[in-house]
Amino acid sequence: MAKTEPKLDNRPGCILTMGEILVEILASEIGQSFRRAGTLIGPFASGAPAIFIDQVAKCGSPCAIIGCVGDDDFGALNVERLREDGVDVSGISVIKAATTGSAFVTYRKDGDRDFIYNITNSASGHLSVSEIREHLLKDCRHFHVMGSSLFSFRIIEAMKRVIETVKANGGTVSFDPNIRKEMLRIPEMREALDFILDYTDVFLPSGHEVMLLASASTEKAAIDELLGRGVREVVVKRGKDGCSYYDGKDERHVHALPVTEVDPTGAGDCFGGTYIACRAQGFTVERALEYAGAAGARAVTYRGPMEGTATLAELDAFIKERSEVSHG
Ligand code: ATP
Ligand code: MG
């Protein structure tokens, strides 16, 4: 694939994503177990692609999501929330015969989380090529893929269709692998991830994911391998250690803002949504990374995966406040 200058530019058109739309219900206490009754909090709007696109909308970029919900209050909660925040929800199908997906989360004392998911058998499992809305594809200048969404062959087929169409129309693609290791044991999944990487302009892995999709044995070599196969920008998310950026010429490392973590879920999605929206609005890499890092840091200070999404003005205020804290 020929390399050109990064071109996430100011052309009109919308940022599109596709995938699971869920509610999340949280254990209220750290160390609480689902093996016995306890107090739960929620439902909160959720689903990695939904959180991503909500953050894109809050940044002020035109955007849409293709997905499925059930004909129930969990679905309505999500659709209303996304619409209110400025997402075009015309690509969300209501599946009468299914219920909206859900995720139940417990928090371990060591900071890890455990999830019980109802996604595959929920409305989100109905996503297929027939849910693709042509009007959204026509307007799309950038498509974002979440690896967590690739849980059925019908969805993978739909993703491939959208990716090929968007790229054929001159658009760009970003990819956040969000991988569970078990996914890589399925040969078709490995093939699907490789297919997506071949079309990826902006790759947004978490630190441990860099090596999973490359054959190289060090992170630096893996990043070079990804850039060599046509990825133009690699942004590695490193939690409280900030993030790193690579494009083959330029390399940047940005420290995280100091925060007290309340709930880590959604940080990566808020980070990605902000980075893609800022680049699409013509911001420099430096400014896009600053806003994206702030969006990730701010997200972990809110309980609930989508509750920390923020406008650029809110991020400006947050950066100012946190910088004052870190400078004493
Ligand atoms: P997820 O577990 O949701 O998939 P992720 O691995 O995709 O998360 P993270 O690296 O956890 O994403 O978070 C994305 C970005 O948000 C980080 O690169 C960092 O800039 C910011 N961030 C995350 N956690 C913290 C934290 N505890 N303190 C400050 N900034 C944070
Ligand atoms: Mg992630």
Side-chain angles (χ1 to χ4, degrees):
M1 215 176 287
K3 270 202 174 180
T4 48
E5 272 302 294
K7 212 179 62 180
L8 293 167
D9 58 16
N10 286 316
R11 280 177 309 138
C14 88
I15 296 171
L16 180 67
T17 193
M18 178 162 81
E20 68 278 17
I21 298 170
L22 317 171
V23 289
E24 198 161 297
I25 295 171
L26 320 175
S28 65
E29 307 290 332
I30 291 176
Q32 189 176 328
S33 159
F34 282 147
R35 293 193 180 200
R36 60 191 86 82
T39 309
L40 305 178
I41 309 171
F44 290 109
S46 189
I51 300 164
F52 170 91
I53 211 68
D54 192 77
Q55 179 55 45
V56 170
K58 286 222 172 156
C59 287
S61 288
C63 60
I65 183 167
I66 295 171
C68 299
V69 294
D71 188 9
D72 51 36
D73 285 346
F74 285 171
L77 175 152
N78 273 292
V79 173
E80 280 165 22
R81 172 65 189 279
L82 292 169
R83 187 190 285 123
E84 247 170 53
D85 287 347
V87 179
D88 177 340
V89 294
S90 63
I92 301 180
S93 304
V94 177
I95 309 289
K96 296 271 181 204
T99 50
T100 302
S102 54
F104 293 81
V105 192
T106 47
Y107 300 85
R108 292 193 205 172
K109 292 201 170 86
D110 65 5
D112 268 2
R113 290 161 286 171
D114 289 304
F115 292 87
I116 297 178
Y117 290 116
N118 166 34
I119 305 179
T120 316
N121 296 316
S122 77
S124 285
H126 287 246
L127 193 55
S128 72
V129 167
S130 58
E131 255 64 52
I132 297 172
R133 298 287 166 263
E134 292 306 322
H135 72 281
L136 295 177
L137 277 196
K138 203 153 70 42
D139 285 348
C140 173
R141 58 181 288 206
H142 183 86
F143 181 58
H144 181 73
V145 183
M146 283 289 181
S148 58
S149 310
L150 305 169
F151 58 83
S152 85
F153 295 117
R154 292 192 308 179
I155 294 174
I156 291 170
E157 185 194 357
M159 285 288 181
K160 288 181 172 178
R161 181 78 62 85
V162 174
I163 289 169
E164 282 173 333
T165 310
V166 169
K167 291 292 275 207
N169 292 343
T172 47
V173 168
S174 51
F175 177 34
D176 179 343
N178 245 330
I179 286 179
R180 282 172 285 127
K181 275 214 185 91
E182 313 82 73
M183 285 164 78
L184 292 174
R185 287 195 211 116
I186 311 166
E188 290 88 347
M189 184 63 70
R190 182 104 224 176
E191 186 268 330
L193 295 169
D194 267 334
F195 175 97
I196 295 165
L197 265 182
D198 278 337
Y199 286 90
T200 297
D201 299 283
V202 182
F203 186 47
L204 295 157
S206 306
H208 68 277
E209 290 168 340
V210 178
M211 313 284 291
L212 289 177
L213 291 173
S215 53
S217 56
T218 64
E219 186 187 276
K220 185 74 187 80
I223 287 164
D224 288 343
E225 188 181 321
L226 291 162
L227 292 168
R229 71 188 280 182
V231 176
R232 297 188 208 161
E233 300 181 8
V234 178
V235 186
V236 182
K237 294 168 285 175
R238 305 188 194 277
K240 62 175 172 25
D241 297 323
C243 65
S244 311
Y245 168 92
Y246 310 83
D247 65 14
K249 293 194 207 99
D250 190 12
E251 186 177 320
R252 288 161 190 272
H253 302 277
V254 182
H255 290 294
L257 292 169
V259 295
T260 305
E261 189 175 292
V262 174
D263 179 3
T265 313
D269 311 327
C270 289
F271 179 99
T274 305
Y275 185 76
I276 294 301
C278 286
R279 295 291 284 138
Q281 290 176 31
F283 290 23
T284 60
V285 167
E286 188 183 3
R287 273 191 84 202
L289 291 174
E290 186 184 16
Y291 275 125
R298 190 176 180 280
V300 306
T301 66
Y302 284 80
R303 187 129 76 160
M306 204 192 277
E307 304 315 299
T309 56
T311 63
L312 293 180
E314 284 167 334
L315 293 177
D316 280 326
F318 184 75
I319 291 166
K320 188 161 176 285
E321 178 213 302
R322 289 292 98 194
S323 307
E324 281 163 10
V325 169
S326 62
H327 293 125

